[in-house]
Amino acid sequence: MKEKWLGVVDLYGRYSQRILSIAGSAYLAVALLSYCLLFKQSQSVWNDVAVFGLDLIRKAAFIIFLISILYNVWKKKLDWKLCGGFFLLSGLVTFFSKDAEPIKMFFLLTALSVLPLDFILKKYYNVQSFILLLVITLTAFGVIENILYDKDRMRFGLGFDWTTTAAVLLLHILILYECVRKYKWKKNEVYLFLVSIVVIYLFTDARFIFIMSILFLLLVVFQQKTHFLSCQKKSIQMIFTCLPILFLIISFLGFLFYNPNNEIWRTINSLLSDRLALGHAGLMRYGFTIFGQHIQWIGYSFTQMSGTYNYIDNSYIRLFLETGLLNLIFYMTTCSLGVWSLCKKNQIRKVLAFSFLIVLGMIEPFFFNPLFNPFLILGLKDLNDKLKKGRVYAKI
């Protein structure tokens, strides 16, 4: 019996990365589909069957994630103390926030952290590109309704549950393309992305995402031509490494000191589409917690909810309010370690991509969403490697 069990384990070990890769890709695709309206508008039997099937895929993926984590802890590829601490923290946050997302993040990030970074980035790029093209194509052929969410600004959803989702997904695809591209960008690639950005903007009127997309495209082209930035200097490495903490501090100070009676603050708030006022109200209302709290975010989406609009578009403040101080410290640490490891290897294209997502986190809530940001896995990988090295040195 023992020999059979060891044979099964050895067989799994031979194909473990392939199995994990398929499970990760399937989960990402299914989870991203939840942002579109494909299965939210129909009440047919076939729709119920499809939803049930997608739910089975999600559950099967998490079972594979669990098996992968246990296997790699046993093989000492994952540090058991890190996994145990991360699991405990995520479990406590899930309990206090009454939200399953933190524990889901634990399984996804920990399981995928054993895969090579370049492989992860390519998988994310492929899955996100496939989902965006699929949803827009189905919308173009009328399979999914192209809902008009805002008649005043003529903002369409392009098949998604809110008007900015398509633009946000395209920006992440653009950023990931910079990471997976092995050679210099060709002119037709730049023009293709530029046209895509403009077309989606014309439908969605997602102004901030449009500006950020154009800025990133210009930055990529400028860096490619001039090579103006390098991470070989320690001072440059420190600046990039401190970016997550810097924008966290800016977010806190901006929201805390916002004064609606001050003309300058009101002007900045207007330029930021009321983000300062909403962030200030959120901090004042929900305040400080250790392990988070349950918050019902009310915004504009396909499913309208009763209550006062309270949606905060800042990733850092949302993480702090929803999941508490300890979880915020953990993720800020892993993000800083992730940037540091890229800087040490002088992988400037990935550094710029990660840094741009850090900046984007100031005005969008997707930075700590593992479906959009694969760099969260990098920080966990680096922390795991440091703990494993420390254990080896301790034995010596």
Side-chain angles (χ1 to χ4, degrees):
M1 185 66 181
K2 187 177 180 180
E3 290 180 357
K4 287 184 179 180
W5 171 249
L6 290 175
V8 171
V9 172
D10 288 339
L11 183 64
Y12 172 79
R14 233 176 292 161
Y15 299 100
S16 59
Q17 288 205 354
R18 187 177 301 178
I19 294 170
L20 180 59
S21 170
I22 294 171
S25 298
Y27 176 75
L28 287 173
V30 169
L32 286 172
L33 278 176
S34 67
Y35 286 89
C36 84
L37 305 178
L38 184 59
F39 304 109
K40 295 182 180 180
Q41 295 175 311
S42 172
Q43 301 298 322
S44 68
V45 175
W46 289 112
N47 182 76
D48 293 338
V49 171
V51 171
F52 178 74
L54 293 176
D55 190 51
L56 280 180
I57 293 173
R58 272 192 291 262
K59 290 176 180 176
F62 277 113
I63 291 172
I64 293 173
F65 294 158
L66 174 59
I67 293 171
S68 176
I69 292 169
L70 294 174
Y71 175 79
N72 285 291
V73 167
W74 177 56
K75 284 290 187 178
K76 297 183 179 180
K77 293 181 180 179
L78 287 173
D79 184 85
W80 71 269
K81 292 181 181 178
L82 174 61
C83 292
F86 188 18
F87 178 75
L88 179 61
L89 176 62
S90 302
L92 287 169
V93 172
T94 293
F95 176 79
F96 282 96
S97 66
K98 297 178 176 62
D99 186 358
E101 288 306 313
I103 204 70
K104 289 180 181 178
M105 286 181 69
F106 162 77
F107 281 109
L108 178 64
L109 298 180
T110 308
L112 296 186
S113 67
V114 300
L115 299 174
L117 177 63
D118 288 337
F119 182 81
I120 293 170
L121 294 173
K122 190 171 183 179
K123 284 294 178 183
Y124 265 77
Y125 170 76
N126 290 337
V127 172
Q128 289 183 3
S129 301
F130 171 74
I131 294 299
L132 182 61
L133 286 172
L134 174 67
V135 174
I136 290 180
T137 301
L138 292 176
T139 304
F141 284 96
V143 178
I144 306 175
E145 183 181 354
N146 189 18
I147 293 178
L148 177 60
Y149 287 101
D150 189 338
K151 293 181 180 179
D152 295 331
R153 290 170 58 184
M154 295 301 291
R155 306 184 72 186
F156 292 89
L158 293 178
F160 290 93
D161 58 4
W162 179 232
T163 185
T164 60
T165 306
V168 167
L169 199 51
L170 178 62
L171 175 54
H172 282 80
I173 291 167
L174 171 63
I175 291 171
L176 288 172
Y177 188 70
E178 167 65 0
C179 297
V180 302
R181 188 86 169 88
K182 292 183 178 179
Y183 307 103
K184 290 185 177 181
W185 286 52
K186 297 178 181 178
K187 286 185 178 179
N188 59 345
E189 293 172 326
V190 175
Y191 294 148
L192 179 61
F193 269 111
L194 182 60
V195 170
S196 301
I197 292 167
V198 172
V199 169
I200 287 185
Y201 168 70
L202 292 174
F203 276 98
T204 63
D205 195 24
R207 291 175 292 196
F208 279 114
I209 301 300
F210 172 74
I211 292 170
M212 295 295 281
S213 300
I214 297 297
L215 283 176
F216 185 76
L217 200 57
L218 291 174
L219 180 65
V220 166
V221 173
F222 188 62
Q223 171 66 19
Q224 183 172 287
K225 287 188 175 182
T226 64
H227 302 285
F228 75 99
L229 193 58
S230 173
C231 290
Q232 293 179 337
K233 292 183 178 179
K234 281 281 181 83
S235 57
I236 300 296
Q237 293 175 8
M238 288 303 300
I239 290 172
F240 277 112
T241 302
C242 292
L243 279 182
I245 299 170
L246 174 64
F247 283 104
L248 170 66
I249 293 172
I250 292 173
S251 300
F252 266 110
L253 294 179
F255 290 158
L256 283 173
F257 292 109
Y258 168 72
N259 183 1
N261 299 317
N262 182 285
E263 182 64 30
I264 296 176
W265 279 114
R266 285 204 305 270
T267 302
I268 297 173
N269 182 56
S270 178
L271 290 172
L272 294 174
S273 302
D274 216 28
R275 281 172 167 82
L276 283 178
L278 290 167
H280 177 80
L283 280 178
M284 295 301 103
R285 178 179 178 181
Y286 300 111
F288 171 90
T289 62
I290 297 295
F291 294 112
Q293 60 194 305
H294 177 67
I295 300 176
Q296 183 66 67
W297 297 113
I298 300 172
Y300 302 123
S301 66
F302 172 72
T303 305
Q304 295 298 325
M305 302 180 66
S306 60
T308 305
Y309 186 99
N310 69 341
Y311 202 83
I312 296 176
D313 282 315
N314 184 292
S315 297
Y316 306 102
I317 302 304
R318 278 176 67 100
L319 185 73
F320 170 70
L321 294 177
E322 285 181 305
T323 67
L325 179 63
L326 292 183
N327 202 54
L328 175 68
I329 292 173
F330 177 79
Y331 277 101
M332 295 303 292
T333 301
T334 57
C335 286
S336 295
L337 283 173
V339 181
W340 175 258
S341 67
L342 291 175
C343 287
K344 292 288 284 183
K345 298 171 185 174
N346 199 33
Q347 296 187 9
I348 189 62
R349 294 167 76 170
K350 293 186 180 71
V351 170
L352 289 176
F354 196 179
S355 301
F356 213 82
L357 288 177
I358 291 169
V359 176
L360 186 64
M362 284 273 291
I363 59 170
E364 288 295 334
F366 296 100
F367 180 73
F368 294 104
N369 187 331
L371 304 180
F372 289 85
N373 184 7
F375 286 104
L376 295 175
I377 302 169
L378 171 63
L380 194 64
K381 283 172 68 71
D382 195 62
L383 185 58
N384 181 69
D385 291 341
K386 288 183 183 301
L387 289 172
K388 285 198 309 180
K389 285 180 181 178
R391 188 174 59 205
V392 170
Y393 291 143
K395 287 182 179 179
I396 296 173

